[in-house]
Structures are given as structure tokens and as C-alpha cells.
Amino acid sequence: NEPIKKDGLFVYSAEVAGRGGYWTQMVRTVCVGQPNDELAKAHEEQLETIEFTRKKLVPGTQLGDMLKAMFAHVEEKGYIPKLPFGHIVGVDLDEGGRGSLVSDFVLTKDSNVVLHPTMCLGDMDYSIFWGDSFLVKEGGGERLNQASTELLVL
């Protein structure tokens, strides 16, 4: 419960249940003032990590295997991964194990999966958190919103 300071960050997470009771989520890191080069680079690499993982959102993939691949991808980029990385959403905000790397939940066509890898930059108190909901499809996940992927700056 700290005041937001100039050159600080905060996370905006919209977790919405529609008329049919099905959940979706969109997460954004917001900068107060212009982001430094490290944060701007991390944002681009986070979008690339989400795209890398989106391609794995195909029927038959185990949730835990997909999350492990995302975790390893973040480590390969030199960041400290922090769970949760994503989860299944439906009539509950978490169906199938929130961020569980050992989940044996098998993705089916049109499963709704939230991808939101947390990438810590050196100090564990400094991270970027960004994500969207995707439908599982044969050719990879289909993003459920058309919101901008640009880093938000106030």
C-alpha cells in the first residue's frame, strides 16, 4: 500500500466474468514516467515469450509442460522467472492448477488459457507482469482481445 511515485510501476489486472459466467483476464504493467531501457527491453522480451508460448496452445498439450517451456524460455533470456505464469480460466478464474509446473491438465480445443509470465529483473522486487487470455486452437492460441501491446506510460 505505497503511493505510486514518478518513475514507478504498478500492475493493472482486469479479471472479468461475462454474462455466461466465463472468466477472462488481461494484465498490464503501467509506467509512471518514461520506462528505462532495461524495462523497455524486458517488455519486448516478455511479449516474445508470450508469443513463443502462444504457439504451444494446441489441443493435447499438458498445461505443466507448456508452463515449464515458458519458464525455461524466461531463464534463457537471463531473467528470474516467478510463478504464476498462467492458468486455465472458465467458470472459475483458475481451473486446472494456477501456474503449476506439474499440472497434467490436458488442453482441449477452445480451452481459455491466460498467459502472464512474471519476469524479474535482477532484484526480485523489480519485475514486469503482462498477460492476455487465449483460446486453444489447432494452429496455436487465439488472443481474446485487441488491446494494444505497447508498454503503458502515464
Side-chain angles (χ1 to χ4, degrees):
N1 291 335
E2 292 182 29
I4 299 170
K5 299 174 184 166
K6 184 167 175 30
D7 298 325
L9 304 171
F10 67 92
V11 172
Y12 171 78
S13 180
E15 301 164 348
V16 181
R19 288 188 304 168
Y22 289 91
W23 286 87
T24 187
Q25 183 178 19
M26 183 179 80
V27 181
R28 297 293 187 260
T29 296
V30 181
C31 302
V32 180
Q34 290 301 312
N36 62 36
D37 291 344
E38 180 183 38
L39 181 62
K41 179 182 176 198
H43 171 68
E44 289 303 317
E45 291 185 342
Q46 188 167 49
L47 292 177
E48 194 277 324
T49 297
I50 291 170
E51 176 59 17
F52 165 84
T53 311
R54 181 199 67 78
K55 295 174 184 175
K56 298 181 179 310
L57 292 176
V58 296
T61 301
Q62 283 193 343
L63 177 63
D65 291 343
M66 180 205 69
L67 294 172
K68 281 186 253 187
M70 189 188 318
F71 196 91
H73 191 77
V74 168
E75 285 183 318
E76 288 168 12
K77 292 189 165 295
Y79 296 95
I80 302 165
K82 183 179 175 186
L83 297 175
F85 262 31
H87 49 97
I88 305 294
V89 292
V91 293
D92 192 355
L93 189 57
D94 179 26
E95 297 183 2
R98 177 178 279 282
S100 174
L101 298 177
V102 296
S103 174
D104 60 359
F105 185 95
V106 176
L107 302 179
T108 58
K109 184 176 183 286
D110 295 328
S111 294
N112 184 355
V113 180
V114 177
L115 300 178
H116 53 49
T118 302
M119 297 170 44
C120 298
L121 296 91
D123 182 347
M124 288 296 285
D125 291 333
Y126 183 45
S127 65
I128 184 166
F129 191 46
W130 193 278
D132 287 305
S133 296
F134 296 84
L135 285 182
V136 173
K137 298 290 185 183
E138 290 295 335
E142 176 185 316
R143 194 165 154 228
L144 290 178
N145 71 59
Q146 296 178 2
S148 171
T149 58
E150 290 183 32
L151 192 57
L152 303 173
V153 178
L154 299 179

